[in-house]
Amino acid sequence: MSGTGSTVRDSGAAGTGPRTITTAVPARLDRLPWSGWHWMIVIGLGTVWILDGLEVTVVGNIASRLSEPGSGLVITDAQVTGLGAALYVAGACSGALFFGWLTDRFGRKKLFLVTLAVYLAATAMTALSFSAWWFFLFRFLTGFGIGGEYAAINSAIDELIPSRYRGRVDLIINGSYWLGAMGGALLSVLALNTDIFPKNIGWRVTFALGVVLGLVILFVRRHVPESPRWMFIHGREEGAEQLLDDVERKVEADTGERLPPPGGSITIEQRETVGFIEIARTLFRSYPKRAVLGFALFIGQAFLYNAITFGFSSILVKFFDVSSGTTGYFFAVIAFGNFLGPLLLGRLFDTVGRRKMIAGTYVLSGLLLFVTAWFFSQGRLNSTTMTACWCVVLFFASAGASSAYLTVSEIFPMETRAMAIAFFYAIGTAAGGISGPLVFSALTSSGVVGDAVLAFGIGAGLMTAAGVVAAFLAIDAEGKSLEDIAAPLSARLAGAAESSAPPAAPAG
């Protein structure tokens, strides 16, 4: 078979700990044609974003029902959307950092199973809430699991998907959040219908359905393998070889053609762990420009989204006399537009290129939001045209925001990948969940046109600025092996890296 015997041990003896090895595992992964094995990875790992979108949207839409007498909880609307949302965000940030570190240390598979289990348990307990403190506790733990998912899943996906497909797959998977948001908006309309469910049952059903979906995902995810890239660096090169041997046999049997020889190899010094100091040094000393890029992308998308979503319901109700009970339908339309962006534009990130598409989607969405703010200030929009404008803005913004996760996943060395994702995710989530409410909630709920326009302008300005940063600092990573974009720390320490292209120099 095409890929057998791709690892050579250069030093050390079996059973004595880390060794220096030369392996073709990355090249073997990148040369695979798309197959059923890759679909299994996408379904098993990617669908968790649907859960996140479902969670966030459902809670926002059922807040009014939870605060009503007879809901089964003594809690206010403001507590649900304020303290409850803040605790969910705090949990997501904490979970991302905690599980991100564990993912780099103990492997992708162990953690993407653990984080989903945490999410499932916490969501089930939320459905059983009998008091406010119980609800708040398990909102935090639900966020804790979801935050961990982002680090474990993005790192695993990018390390398993061939380089020529990596951009579009990552974008579509991250964009699937909005399928969950759309489902959550429609589900909340159904769950809040007291002709179908009593007040104290309907909101619990929404959380229970999230648990059911999570259990289905967990069943599929059990069959998703560990990342061979993580395995060969952590002394499990034989397992990585066996895994790829099996995959290559299946692919050759499905296609009826032999795979071409792998394009190159890499020499690394195996290691067990990477400390926080080395991770920080790598992100900010070895790759300072890439760190600035990550900050800009995450902060820009966080503020643009909060500029719209925090004021979404209030603007429709206050300025366009839309009934609060029907805003879920408008949100479902916007969510669908968000999903279409990564779905239709994702391929271009692999063909036109990362730099052009990241900069273009960020700048264009920012400029379009400026235009929307101007039309709104002039009184030229109604509820339908306002929603249409938001859809167009978010069509491009969603592709850009999804590319932020792709970017921080692929531009840093493998040993720090999950932690890098976690770090920038936590920064962006904190900006959206802490600064966002402080900045935008008062502006968009005041009922003053000028305040809402200012909120739009802040989000649009930061998104546009992030696009300009990307135009100068984004990495042309399309079609390249992860090891060529950023050489593993172990390869630099070993002083040898052999591949079809030289490793990226640690200059930012």
Side-chain angles (χ1 to χ4, degrees):
M1 188 180 61
S2 306
T4 57
S6 68
T7 297
V8 177
R9 298 175 181 82
D10 295 328
S11 65
T16 61
R19 301 177 298 274
T20 298
I21 65 169
T22 298
T23 180
V25 163
R28 292 174 67 184
L29 283 165
D30 285 337
R31 88 190 198 285
L32 290 174
W34 191 262
S35 66
W37 184 73
H38 295 105
W39 278 118
M40 180 264 294
I41 292 168
V42 169
I43 295 171
L45 299 183
T47 43
V48 71
W49 273 255
I50 297 176
L51 291 178
D52 191 12
L54 185 73
E55 276 285 327
V56 173
T57 308
V58 160
V59 172
N61 286 326
I62 68 173
S64 58
R65 174 55 47 81
L66 287 173
S67 63
E68 293 177 2
S71 70
L73 285 181
V74 179
I75 195 171
T76 67
D77 192 317
Q79 284 180 316
V80 176
T81 58
L83 179 58
L87 287 171
Y88 181 87
V89 169
C93 295
S94 303
L97 294 171
F98 177 71
F99 287 121
W101 176 69
L102 293 179
T103 298
D104 281 332
R105 185 182 181 91
F106 296 111
R108 290 24 174 160
K109 180 163 186 172
K110 288 180 181 178
L111 271 298
F112 64 60
L113 291 175
V114 169
T115 53
L116 183 56
V118 170
Y119 163 81
L120 288 172
T123 302
M125 292 297 101
T126 303
L128 300 176
S129 294
F130 57 87
S131 66
W133 72 264
W134 181 281
F135 179 83
F136 292 144
L137 171 63
F138 286 103
R139 288 308 295 158
F140 175 85
L141 292 176
T142 300
F144 196 70
I146 284 291
E149 285 277 284
Y150 274 83
I153 301 305
N154 268 312
S155 56
I157 288 171
D158 285 352
E159 290 171 8
L160 290 168
I161 298 298
S163 57
R164 61 189 177 280
Y165 302 113
R166 189 173 60 240
R168 73 197 75 178
V169 170
D170 200 294
L171 258 70
I172 292 172
I173 285 175
N174 279 285
S176 68
Y177 171 97
W178 293 102
L179 286 179
M182 183 170 57
L186 297 176
L187 180 62
S188 64
V189 173
L190 178 66
L192 296 181
N193 187 339
T194 53
D195 292 334
I196 302 175
F197 297 107
K199 284 185 177 181
N200 65 333
I201 298 297
W203 65 269
R204 299 181 192 275
V205 170
T206 61
F207 289 112
L209 289 176
V211 174
V212 172
L213 178 57
L215 287 172
V216 173
I217 296 172
L218 183 62
F219 177 78
V220 177
R221 189 173 288 185
R222 291 171 54 248
H223 303 287
V224 177
E226 179 58 84
S227 164
R229 284 180 156 101
W230 183 90
M231 292 170 74
F232 75 71
I233 282 185
H234 290 79
R236 295 171 53 188
E237 69 279 3
E238 292 181 358
E241 295 287 345
Q242 183 59 54
L243 170 60
L244 278 174
D245 287 346
D246 293 341
V247 172
E248 288 170 342
R249 275 194 293 268
K250 292 177 182 177
V251 170
E252 289 183 340
D254 290 343
T255 62
E257 298 179 1
R258 291 181 62 82
L259 291 169
S265 61
I266 184 169
T267 300
I268 62 99
E269 181 181 309
Q270 294 176 328
R271 61 196 324 193
E272 291 297 325
T273 61
V274 177
F276 281 112
I277 293 177
E278 187 170 4
I279 291 173
R281 185 186 300 118
T282 300
L283 264 61
F284 298 108
R285 182 180 296 178
S286 299
Y287 295 98
K289 294 179 182 178
R290 299 185 186 194
V292 170
L293 173 66
F295 275 119
L297 296 182
F298 271 88
I299 296 298
Q301 61 90 20
F303 273 87
L304 178 135
Y305 269 96
N306 281 284
I308 294 176
T309 56
F310 269 107
F312 163 78
S313 180
S314 294
I315 288 173
L316 290 177
V317 172
K318 293 180 182 296
F319 295 102
F320 302 116
D321 295 323
V322 174
S323 168
S324 60
T326 61
T327 57
Y329 293 114
F330 288 88
F331 190 83
V333 173
I334 290 175
F336 184 63
N338 270 281
F339 177 64
L340 285 181
L343 180 66
L344 299 180
L345 300 178
R347 183 175 178 274
L348 300 179
F349 285 77
D350 286 322
T351 54
V352 173
R354 301 282 202 271
R355 184 190 301 266
K356 292 178 182 178
M357 289 304 299
I358 295 172
T361 51
Y362 267 74
V363 170
L364 186 56
S365 60
L367 294 178
L368 287 171
L369 185 54
F370 276 126
V371 172
T372 299
W374 184 82
F375 278 122
F376 177 64
S377 70
Q378 299 300 307
R380 298 186 179 184
L381 299 175
N382 57 36
S383 60
T384 301
T385 54
M386 185 68 165
T387 301
C389 286
W390 280 333
C391 279
V392 175
V393 170
L394 297 175
F395 174 85
F396 294 102
S398 182
S402 296
S403 73
Y405 293 92
L406 167 68
T407 297
V408 299
S409 175
E410 66 183 2
I411 64 175
F412 296 105
M414 205 217 75
E415 297 91 336
T416 68
R417 179 162 294 120
M419 196 62 199
I421 298 168
F423 178 75
F424 289 105
Y425 168 77
I427 293 296
T429 302
I434 298 174
S435 302
L438 293 174
V439 173
F440 295 119
S441 58
L443 290 176
T444 55
S445 62
S446 69
V448 178
V449 171
D451 288 348
V453 170
L454 176 59
F456 289 161
I458 294 171
L462 289 173
M463 192 71 170
T464 304
V468 173
V469 171
F472 289 97
L473 300 184
I475 307 301
D476 297 314
E478 59 276 4
K480 294 181 181 178
S481 169
L482 293 171
E483 290 72 24
D484 292 339
I485 301 168
L489 299 179
S490 46
R492 287 210 299 271
L493 289 174
E498 303 170 11
S499 63
S500 54

